[in-house]
Amino acid sequence: MRPGHGQRWHEHRNDDRPRDRLNFAARLIAPVNRLFLGRLGRVARWFAGTVAALVLCVVGLYVAFLTGLLSVDVATPWIVSALEEKLPPGHKVIIGRTRLDYDSTGGPVLTAEKLEIRNELNEEIMRAPSAEVGLEAGSLLMGNYRARRITLINAVMTVRLDENGNIKVLAPKQMPQAARTVQSETKARQQRQQGADAASDPLGFPEFARWVARLETSGIDGIALNEVGLERGTLIVESDTPGRSWKFTNINFSFRRPAAGGATIRLSSGDGARPWEINASVGALTNGVRAVDLIANRVIPNDLINAAGYGGMDLYASTPISAVLRAQMGTSGKLVSADLRIAASKGEIGNARDARGRFDVDDAQLLMRFDAERGHFIIDPLQIGGGHNRVIFAAVIEAPKPGSDSWQFLVPKGALALGTGRANEPRLSIDHVVLRGGYNQNSKRLTIDDGVLRGPTAGLALTGALTLGDD
């Protein structure tokens, strides 16, 4: 090889191209280097260090909350204020302390201990050893404690009734005249709207449809709450009438708003040897309709009547009832379809004050469906049997026509057998029953326009009217 060629080859192998690439990278990041030099650099370094410290503090604070290393009892005033805003004026909320836990999914749960609610007279109306509030994780860091679930545990609630059986409500604080006028006008407007809705379509439930739509949009509390519940609760109903008080134990209640839409309700009681349960659900809107389902299992009507504050009705019904309702409603609340099945087992129905005014029920059954095309409710059959007595019939109930307030009914067939239970007295048998009449929902007047009762030995034709109102 010639020396010239070797020398040129040696120079080519030892050039400085890698060093050129380093110089290019240095020139590329030079503006960033200058950013951290001088006065501007000191400001940038301080800002970056502060942000890093804040991130570490927030993460550390959140971890300390979830692990229980840091107390959140500071949240108590916010919880008290939020609850009192939802209660009538004068009611007070008392909370012993709060602590933060987390559930199986890792979500934060705020537990309020020794929760009490008192009315204007300082009477206790609710007491719970603890209440669990499931929080949104982001709301915990923001400090506004947005609840997604509230559950009362072992709560004791008291409902007080006056001598007429009405729930006692304390007189609210006096409002300015202008505020009272606005409130009265708003209430009157709502009543007129409800009356107009009922008059325009007795088979429509627009207020219920609007409530479900609001629930899907904004949650139970209008913000983010998706579930409220009660576990192992106790309900005490006290009356001003001597000798009238009721206590219901081991009550469980749950109200949820599923993510898909609609709502679900579960109410149960495991009290003693007569547990009962009610499950209801309103489905999400699908093809313009909502599914409405209700399943009741061995519910004692007397318990529900007393728990609802209607113990003064003197109605006694100890027959366990099981029921299944399958229905569909339109977007506006219009009833589209419905099927109802009710079965009752052994018990008594009659006067709550006088046992002689009751009759035994061995079994009862009701099957009813709604014919949307004709607007008729068809009952076939309704049968009740108890001891020596049995009643069975079919019926058709027609909804009021536009401009009318009367429901029309027809009993095309029926039979009944009534006996005293004495061996030497035969039962009264009627094997042909036909009744036609109506019921006015405003005047509460039941009218029988045409009626025929006929048996093997005798028959009876009847007409008449009966007012079912309070007067």
Side-chain angles (χ1 to χ4, degrees):
M1 181 181 294
R2 292 181 297 177
H5 288 283
Q7 181 66 25
R8 285 195 298 270
W9 176 252
H10 177 75
E11 292 174 356
H12 179 70
R13 291 177 57 192
N14 294 307
D15 62 5
D16 203 21
R17 286 189 178 179
R19 186 176 301 170
D20 292 341
R21 287 195 294 269
L22 291 175
N23 291 337
F24 174 76
R27 289 193 299 270
L28 183 64
I29 66 173
V32 180
N33 288 333
R34 288 194 296 269
L35 181 63
F36 286 93
L37 296 176
R39 181 178 301 176
L40 182 60
R42 288 193 296 271
V43 174
R45 290 194 300 271
W46 176 85
F47 179 76
T50 303
V51 171
L54 286 176
V55 171
L56 291 176
C57 287
V58 170
V59 174
L61 182 63
Y62 185 64
V63 172
F65 275 150
L66 292 184
T67 56
L69 297 176
L70 187 62
S71 172
V72 292
D73 204 50
V74 69
T76 301
W78 277 275
I79 299 175
V80 170
S81 177
L83 290 176
E84 289 182 347
E85 287 179 357
K86 304 293 184 181
L87 297 173
H91 284 59
K92 295 181 180 180
V93 177
I94 303 171
I95 296 179
R97 65 183 296 269
T98 56
R99 72 174 190 273
L100 190 68
D101 301 313
Y102 52 95
D103 56 23
S104 58
T105 64
V109 177
L110 193 65
T111 301
E113 299 180 349
K114 298 180 180 179
L115 174 65
E116 293 184 15
I117 299 179
R118 295 181 174 272
N119 59 19
E120 282 187 340
L121 301 179
N122 202 34
E123 296 174 331
E124 181 184 273
I125 60 175
M126 198 279 289
R127 180 181 73 255
S130 64
E132 292 183 354
V133 182
L135 302 174
E136 290 188 340
S139 69
L140 180 64
L141 294 178
M142 297 300 294
N144 56 2
Y145 302 98
R146 292 179 61 177
R148 56 180 174 81
R149 175 181 64 85
I150 298 177
T151 303
L152 298 176
I153 302 175
N154 293 326
V156 178
M157 292 168 287
T158 303
V159 176
R160 292 177 173 83
L161 309 178
D162 59 22
E163 294 181 353
N164 298 321
N166 301 315
I167 296 177
K168 296 175 66 175
V169 179
L170 296 175
K173 295 179 179 179
Q174 290 296 323
M175 294 184 298
Q177 179 62 36
R180 291 200 301 269
T181 302
V182 171
Q183 187 182 60
S184 300
E185 292 176 353
T186 302
K187 185 176 181 180
R189 185 164 57 252
Q190 292 175 348
Q191 291 176 346
R192 287 194 300 268
Q193 179 64 39
Q194 293 174 358
D197 292 338
S200 61
D201 189 358
L203 299 179
F205 305 89
E207 185 61 32
F208 176 77
R210 289 191 289 266
W211 173 77
V212 175
R214 289 194 302 268
L215 180 68
E216 290 180 331
T217 303
S218 57
I220 299 174
D221 62 343
I223 304 177
L225 187 61
N226 291 328
E227 180 179 353
V228 294
L230 170 68
E231 294 183 3
R232 303 182 301 277
T234 300
L235 174 64
I236 300 174
V237 181
E238 297 180 349
S239 175
D240 289 343
T241 303
R244 283 184 172 269
S245 63
W246 303 271
K247 184 176 181 180
F248 307 92
T249 60
N250 201 19
I251 295 177
N252 299 287
F253 172 78
S254 173
F255 180 85
R256 296 180 58 250
R257 183 188 69 157
T264 62
I265 299 175
R266 179 179 180 272
L267 176 64
S268 66
S269 174
D271 186 14
R274 300 190 304 177
W276 54 266
E277 183 176 4
I278 299 176
N279 289 280
S281 66
V282 180
L285 196 63
T286 304
N287 297 327
V289 297
R290 293 184 186 274
V292 180
D293 296 331
L294 184 145
I295 300 176
N297 184 26
R298 296 189 61 81
V299 177
I300 308 297
N302 216 47
D303 290 348
L304 293 184
I305 291 172
N306 294 332
Y310 295 103
M313 293 177 60
D314 291 333
L315 174 63
Y316 183 86
S318 63
T319 55
I321 292 178
S322 298
V324 177
L325 171 65
R326 308 288 188 190
Q328 287 185 323
M329 300 177 63
T331 307
S332 62
K334 173 78 173 182
L335 185 62
V336 176
S337 65
D339 286 280
L340 175 65
R341 296 173 177 267
I342 299 178
S345 53
K346 188 175 182 60
E348 292 182 326
I349 298 177
N351 193 305
R353 295 178 180 270
D354 188 357
R356 296 174 299 179
R358 307 173 191 171
F359 62 90
D360 295 328
V361 174
D362 294 332
D363 61 84
Q365 183 182 21
L366 168 68
L367 300 180
M368 184 176 70
R369 62 183 177 88
F370 174 63
D371 186 341
E373 183 177 351
R374 295 186 296 171
H376 291 176
F377 292 92
I378 301 173
I379 299 174
D380 190 9
L382 169 61
Q383 58 182 7
I384 303 174
H388 298 273
N389 305 315
R390 182 160 294 274
V391 177
I392 180 171
F393 63 85
V396 178
I397 302 175
E398 181 182 357
K401 292 181 170 57
S404 174
D405 297 322
S406 295
W407 292 73
Q408 303 298 313
F409 67 86
L410 169 66
V411 178
K413 59 181 179 178
L416 61 126
L418 306 175
T420 63
R422 300 185 180 95
N424 58 346
E425 293 185 3
R427 292 195 305 176
L428 172 64
S429 297
I430 297 177
D431 53 17
H432 179 77
V433 176
V434 176
L435 297 172
R436 185 188 304 273
Y439 174 73
N440 189 292
Q441 58 189 8
N442 288 335
S443 62
K444 299 181 180 180
R445 186 175 179 84
L446 177 67
T447 303
I448 298 178
D449 300 322
D450 184 19
V452 175
L453 306 177
R454 187 168 58 242
T457 59
L460 174 68
L462 57 92
T463 60
L466 177 65
T467 300
L468 303 178
D470 297 334
D471 297 335

